[in-house]
Amino acid sequence: MTTPHPTPADPARAAADLLAGHWQRGEHLDALPDACRPRTLDDGRAVQGLWAEVVSDRIAGWKIAATSVAGQQHIAVSGPLAGPVFARRVQPDGATMDLTHNGMKVAECEVVFGIGRTLAPRGEPYTRAEVLAAVATVHPGIEVPDSRFRAFERAGEAQLIADCACCNQMLVGAAVAVDAQDPRLAELPALRVQARTSDGRTPVGLGSNVLGDPVEALVWLVNELASTGRTLAAGQWVTTGACVPPIPVLPGQSVEADFGWIGRIGVRFV
């Protein structure tokens, strides 16, 4: 007869230690033990909130997972998910990324907003105008996500939030300065993003694939953080989700993406 695992004194910390440890070692697991598995979205956020301390790294930015209906259906969630991206896993345009321990092996071409003004928690939601007033720059980005769960499609919302919404590696390209009145921001739903892979694929997507509008995705992220007691700080950035459907990649391949007026970015995989 098997002996049940005792309930840890701090289940959230036990879960964070387990998930972050697997992330640092490049390992995967089937599920968190029952004794520390988050059951609700708030449970998952409590685990996520401990990661920065566990990995001893600062949050460079925030990501949004599942910003399309197809993405939500793929991982069986009811809406988008927010998660931090840690500074040591952020690289510039042209970087080389190691896929050795990556289970997902996809590249996601994303619009990234640089934040110039802190947006702190408050009682009422931030408006689109208030959020745009806090944006200082726009960047091209390529996210290379991964989950600590082998079958992440079946992990469920609470565990995926605890897993920092599949955070892993991120490329952030050169900044384009903008302000709230920049007319190009209103045109982001029609932004055409053209990707090219070294093996000849040319996937394409639109800004509207991200919750209908990358700015609306940003507004969602701001209010998700603010309504749950978290701060989007000046100097951080937000990557808003895949404009182009996730691109399967293998070691030895490279991906380039052209975001029009926002610029270009490329990555090589080993």
Side-chain angles (χ1 to χ4, degrees):
M1 187 172 76
T2 58
T3 302
H5 292 289
T7 301
D10 186 345
R13 180 60 190 240
D17 285 343
L18 227 151
L19 289 171
H22 277 68
W23 180 64
Q24 290 175 307
R25 295 187 300 272
E27 297 173 352
H28 300 80
L29 71 165
D30 292 321
L32 287 167
D34 281 344
C36 66
R37 186 179 305 166
R39 307 295 177 183
T40 68
L41 301 186
D42 282 341
D43 290 346
R45 294 184 188 106
V47 176
Q48 184 185 113
L50 295 169
W51 269 61
E53 177 186 347
V54 173
V55 302
S56 299
D57 199 5
R58 67 179 178 87
I59 297 173
W62 295 86
K63 63 162 290 181
I64 312 173
T67 48
S68 69
V69 172
Q72 292 163 18
Q73 291 174 342
H74 180 57
I75 60 174
V77 297
S78 60
L81 308 175
V85 181
F86 296 100
R88 286 198 295 269
R89 297 289 178 101
V90 180
Q91 299 188 60
D93 177 26
T96 296
M97 285 193 174
D98 189 344
L99 289 176
T100 302
H101 302 293
N102 190 306
M104 295 176 109
K105 291 185 174 61
V106 295
E108 300 185 349
C109 304
E110 311 199 0
V111 175
V112 181
F113 294 96
I115 304 302
R117 182 186 305 172
T118 294
L119 297 170
R122 70 182 199 186
E124 68 274 9
Y126 284 94
T127 66
R128 179 184 174 104
E130 289 175 314
V131 171
L132 283 176
V135 172
T137 54
V138 183
H139 310 245
I142 295 178
E143 186 191 6
V144 185
D146 196 25
S147 175
R148 273 40 70 187
F149 299 109
R150 292 187 186 92
F152 61 90
E153 306 93 334
R154 299 191 296 276
E157 286 178 299
Q159 288 199 111
L160 289 174
I161 290 173
D163 190 35
C164 293
C166 304
C167 79
N168 191 36
Q169 294 175 296
M170 183 75 202
L171 275 85
V172 179
V176 176
V178 295
D179 60 33
Q181 285 72 47
D182 194 315
R184 296 174 296 182
L185 296 177
E187 299 168 357
L188 283 175
L191 179 75
R192 186 176 187 271
V193 181
Q194 177 67 67
R196 291 180 175 81
T197 67
S198 56
D199 63 347
R201 290 170 287 157
T202 56
V204 66
L206 295 171
S208 58
N209 291 336
V210 181
L211 293 182
D213 179 355
V215 173
E216 288 303 311
L218 174 64
V219 173
W220 176 87
L221 186 282
V222 168
N223 286 314
E224 165 67 13
L225 296 184
S227 67
T228 53
R230 295 173 286 176
T231 296
L232 178 58
Q236 293 181 334
W237 43 258
V238 175
T239 187
T240 50
C243 297
V244 179
I247 302 167
V249 291
L250 294 170
Q253 295 179 339
S254 60
V255 175
E256 295 182 349
D258 183 346
F259 288 75
W261 65 268
I262 297 175
R264 297 172 179 244
I265 192 168
V267 58
R268 178 174 176 268
F269 296 101
V270 296

